Amino acid sequence: MNSPFAETILNGSLLLAVPVALLAGLVSFLSPCVLPLVPGYLGYVTGLTGVDLQKQRRGRMLAGIGLFVLGFSVIFVLLGGAFGQLGTLLTGPQNAWITQVLGILVILMGIVFMGGFAWLQRDAKIHAKPPAGLWGAPLLGLTFGLGWAPCIGPTYSAVQLLSLSGGSSATKGALLAFVYSLGLGIPFLLIALAVRRGMGVMSFFRTHRLAIQRFGGGILILLGILMATGVWGTWVTELQYWFQTDVKLPI
């Protein structure tokens, strides 16, 4: 394999981490920090009233939400790339113990997601409000991505900690951040496509928000245990060996 990008894509740790990052983004969307605010985001980024939202002006809603998602995706991907580049200084065969430390941190992020550590349950946001409507939508996305919320921060942090397992690079960190952004952003777009039906689905998840928090936190804790005990590393090695021996890429 002479392509650095191909090597990154077929990296064993990345192949395992991508579905985890996608699930983490979806869980973040369904969390109590985001889901109840979706109608407000819809109205703010489109500049529409509640009546107009019910009339399902899909073109304007898709444009507004798309720009909003683009805003926070840019922030997440840039941070992910920077974190991945920084991680190249920390990872390597001689630093295998770092994965165990990262696993412990992921466990802590899972506990935070479930409501633990009260001092991390406070939102830290940029309070400057961009103008409502399409012009302000990407700016709102940027401020959304730059803040800390006890449901988004832990999941995104866990994804980036996971990017350090099995070797790190700016490409790997950015790619996992992009996948996380897809998991968080696609539900926004789906609701914008079908507002009335989407609001009904949202009410179901709001009713079961505690179960979602426990599920999301449990996934992070399980992931952290796998990393801390070395099981994750074993899976990464076996998967990478399988691809190196069975998958042939064109040069």
Side-chain angles (χ1 to χ4, degrees):
M1 264 185 290
N2 292 338
S3 168
F5 182 75
E7 291 178 359
T8 299
I9 293 299
L10 294 183
N11 181 283
S13 62
L14 187 61
L15 288 166
L16 287 175
V18 162
V20 174
L22 188 66
L23 179 62
L26 178 59
V27 168
S28 295
F29 175 83
L30 297 174
S31 69
C33 301
V34 176
L35 190 64
L37 303 178
V38 170
Y41 284 125
L42 281 173
Y44 197 90
V45 302
T46 59
L48 300 175
T49 66
V51 174
D52 287 329
L53 286 175
Q54 291 302 317
K55 290 180 180 178
Q56 300 188 50
R57 296 174 58 177
R58 292 179 181 176
R60 188 176 181 86
M61 281 189 288
L62 279 176
I65 288 296
L67 291 170
F68 170 70
V69 171
L70 178 63
F72 69 69
S73 296
V74 167
I75 292 297
F76 288 152
V77 170
L78 289 176
L79 290 175
F83 190 83
Q85 185 61 40
L86 178 62
T88 59
L89 304 176
L90 303 176
T91 55
Q94 73 279 11
N95 293 327
W97 58 272
I98 290 180
T99 298
Q100 295 177 314
V101 175
L102 295 175
I104 295 173
L105 292 176
V106 172
I107 291 172
L108 294 177
M109 290 299 98
I111 295 173
V112 171
F113 188 87
M114 297 175 75
F117 302 110
W119 58 282
L120 284 174
Q121 295 303 314
R122 301 175 181 175
D123 292 350
K125 299 179 180 178
I126 298 175
H127 295 288
K129 291 184 178 180
L134 297 182
W135 288 105
L139 297 178
L140 184 64
L142 291 173
T143 59
F144 179 86
L146 288 171
W148 166 277
C151 301
I152 297 176
T155 51
Y156 178 73
S157 298
V159 167
Q160 289 310 304
L161 292 172
L162 183 60
S163 74
L164 298 181
S165 177
S168 183
S169 68
T171 302
K172 183 179 177 182
L175 183 57
L176 286 181
F178 175 73
V179 173
Y180 175 84
S181 299
L182 288 180
L184 177 59
I186 288 177
F188 275 106
L189 296 171
L190 292 177
I191 288 178
L193 277 171
V195 175
R196 291 180 181 175
R197 185 174 299 176
M199 294 300 178
V201 173
M202 285 169 52
S203 65
F204 170 82
F205 286 111
R206 281 198 298 266
T207 303
H208 298 85
R209 60 185 181 277
L210 183 58
I212 293 170
Q213 268 191 288
R214 290 175 176 173
F215 172 77
I219 290 294
L220 294 183
I221 291 172
L222 176 60
L223 174 62
I225 292 173
L226 293 175
M227 294 172 66
T229 57
V231 175
W232 183 266
T234 300
W235 289 353
V236 167
T237 301
E238 291 178 353
L239 189 59
Q240 194 162 4
Y241 174 78
W242 183 85
F243 269 94
Q244 288 175 345
T245 56
D246 293 350
V247 176
K248 304 298 182 182
L249 291 178
I251 299 177

